[in-house]
Amino acid sequence: MSRPSTSTIVTSVTIAVALIGTLASHAFFPRVNPVNALDLVLPLTAACGLLVRERFPVAALIVVAVSVAAYYPWATVDGPIIVLLFVCLYSAADLGHLTAAIATGGASLLAMGIGESGGVRHVDDSLFLMIAGWVVAAIAFGGVTRNRRAYLEEARQHALDAVRSKEEEARRRAGEERLRIARELHDVLGHNISMINVQAAAALHGLKKRPEEAETALRTIKDTSKETLRELRTTLGVLRQVDEDAPTTPPDSLARVEALVRDSGLDVRTELSGPLDALPTEVDLSAARIVREALTNVSRHSGTDRATLRLTSASGHVEIEVDDEGPGAAYDEGSGFGVQGMRERAAALGGTLVAGPRPEGGWRVAARLPLNLPTNLPLNLPTNLPTNLPTNGAR
């Protein structure tokens, strides 16, 4: 069984006070004139108006005000039904009808003042001032409660917005971290697995004709697979957030560009310009990853084992250019995540990356990364991150 609301209790108590007070006035105070119909009709009309004050606040206010205004001059029983008017004034102001409450209260006081000054007085000056004070207090209290309720609602909405913003920020950071892990898996593991695939093909091809070359290829497969397992173990350890030994191999860096070139298994002509050993960590790692991925794409797709790598550090930027002259220039860019990942790495630093066929033949990857990172970087992260990264067949 539900409990009655505060509004229902206030309405019931107010009507009971008005009607009981009217009956007490009829029973204990002498009257000059006999009781008439208005002594019954007007209090009941005002009580009915009070019952519907929440659904029809302005209409109820007018009905109660007219009933009270007619009651005291023409009824014979001097009951306290004016308290019904005070409650209606409060409700109208509390429900947002402040103008109607002020107009009705002012009109009621004006009518009372005119009526009291025209003949026999029913109230003295002190009682008139007290009634005026109650009218003003009822309207003011209704306005205050409405403003407080609006303030609490606004505070609640702000709290909900703050929680929603935190959840969105958490989702954004989670998406950014997933994208970073996807890049690392693709750039490192994908590269190593591609090398295993290339060396395995070479071993199978030369197993009977040139056994010594097959042995070299198998050793390369062994070393590369060992490194791949170490990289995978390190990545999984980070995901599980457990204590792991420090990596035995330093991270990719342009200062170790010779190692990047050697690991690619290609015949690379390298052209270096400017200092490459004191770059910001984020720029250095991203640039090295772009070089590794670009060389891996040459090995996978170009159809040649030769490439040209140009690295320039000047004018506040690092410029990377990887060219090949192979025939495998045409491919479906949407089939893999290599070029996409390189572009995202460059964009995350406020840089640019262009990849496409060269007019003279072959393929070119050209990136430009700023050395002075902007403070507010745009985060355009994909909502659907790849779960199965390709190891060959797509750039």
Side-chain angles (χ1 to χ4, degrees):
M1 182 177 181
S2 60
R3 296 181 179 180
S5 64
T6 303
S7 176
T8 302
I9 295 175
V10 170
T11 300
S12 302
V13 171
T14 303
I15 292 176
V17 168
L19 296 182
I20 292 173
T22 301
L23 293 176
S25 178
H26 170 69
F28 298 107
F29 293 97
R31 298 176 310 281
V32 177
N33 299 319
V35 176
N36 57 39
L38 296 179
D39 289 306
L40 179 62
V41 173
L42 293 177
L44 292 179
T45 302
C48 292
L50 192 68
L51 291 174
V52 297
R53 63 190 172 92
E54 291 189 348
R55 294 185 60 186
F56 310 102
V58 177
L61 178 61
I62 293 174
V63 169
V64 174
V66 171
S67 299
V68 171
Y71 178 79
Y72 287 103
W74 294 309
T76 60
V77 178
D78 193 15
I81 70 168
I82 195 172
V83 297
L84 304 179
L85 177 61
F86 297 153
V87 175
C88 271
L89 288 171
Y90 162 79
S91 296
D94 179 66
L95 295 175
H97 303 282
L98 186 61
T99 302
I102 294 175
T104 304
S108 299
L109 292 176
L110 180 62
M112 179 181 290
I114 294 174
E116 290 296 313
S117 63
V120 180
R121 299 195 62 175
H122 298 83
V123 296
D124 55 18
D125 292 341
S126 61
L127 184 57
F128 179 80
L129 292 176
M130 184 176 69
I131 293 174
W134 276 103
V135 170
V136 173
I139 297 173
F141 189 51
V144 168
T145 55
R146 176 175 176 78
N147 290 337
R148 181 177 180 274
R149 189 168 58 251
Y151 169 78
L152 294 177
E153 177 62 24
E154 184 178 0
R156 187 183 70 86
Q157 188 62 42
H158 283 328
L160 291 176
D161 292 341
V163 172
R164 191 176 298 112
S165 298
K166 289 182 179 179
E167 292 176 351
E168 292 175 354
E169 176 69 12
R171 285 194 296 269
R172 184 191 67 81
R173 290 183 179 276
E176 182 180 4
E177 183 63 16
R178 289 197 301 270
L179 181 60
R180 187 190 67 81
I181 294 171
R183 287 174 182 160
E184 295 298 321
L185 290 174
H186 181 274
D187 292 351
V188 178
L189 301 183
H191 166 79
N192 290 343
I193 293 173
S194 294
M195 292 303 302
I196 292 173
N197 182 56
V198 171
Q199 295 296 333
L204 289 174
H205 181 71
L207 186 60
K208 294 182 178 180
K209 297 181 179 180
R210 294 186 295 275
E212 67 282 356
E213 294 183 5
E215 181 180 356
T216 302
L218 290 173
R219 289 186 181 277
T220 303
I221 291 174
K222 177 183 177 183
D223 295 338
T224 304
S225 61
K226 181 179 180 181
E227 175 66 14
T228 301
L229 290 174
R230 188 198 65 79
E231 292 280 357
L232 181 60
R233 181 174 179 270
T234 300
T235 302
L236 294 178
V238 172
L239 294 177
R240 285 194 292 263
Q241 296 183 349
V242 298
D243 294 334
E244 296 283 351
D245 296 334
T248 58
T249 303
D252 287 344
S253 171
L254 292 186
R256 301 176 55 251
V257 68
E258 295 83 0
L260 292 175
V261 171
R262 185 176 61 253
D263 292 344
S264 69
L266 301 172
D267 181 8
V268 181
R269 182 166 61 91
T270 304
E271 299 177 7
L272 307 179
S273 177
L276 299 174
D277 56 352
L279 304 180
T281 304
E282 299 89 344
V283 177
D284 191 22
L285 179 60
S286 294
R289 294 301 199 203
I290 290 173
V291 170
R292 179 190 284 272
E293 178 61 25
L295 293 177
T296 300
N297 282 345
V298 173
S299 175
R300 291 178 184 173
H301 308 286
S302 68
T304 182
D305 60 352
R306 294 184 179 183
T308 300
L309 169 63
R310 300 181 185 89
L311 293 174
T312 303
S313 174
S315 303
H317 290 82
V318 171
E319 296 183 0
I320 305 168
E321 190 172 294
V322 178
D323 294 342
D324 69 71
E325 299 179 0
Y331 72 100
D332 181 7
E333 185 174 337
S335 62
F337 299 98
V339 174
Q340 175 185 340
M342 289 190 290
R343 284 204 181 104
E344 289 171 350
R345 283 189 182 277
L349 298 176
T352 59
L353 185 139
V354 178
R358 301 192 306 162
E360 61 271 28
W363 193 266
R364 169 172 292 168
V365 173
R368 181 180 172 89
L369 309 179
L371 294 178
N372 298 320
L373 301 181
T375 55
N376 295 319
L377 296 175
L379 289 173
N380 297 321
L381 300 178
T383 55
N384 296 322
L385 296 174
T387 56
N388 296 315
L389 298 175
T391 58
N392 58 37
R395 295 202 183 199

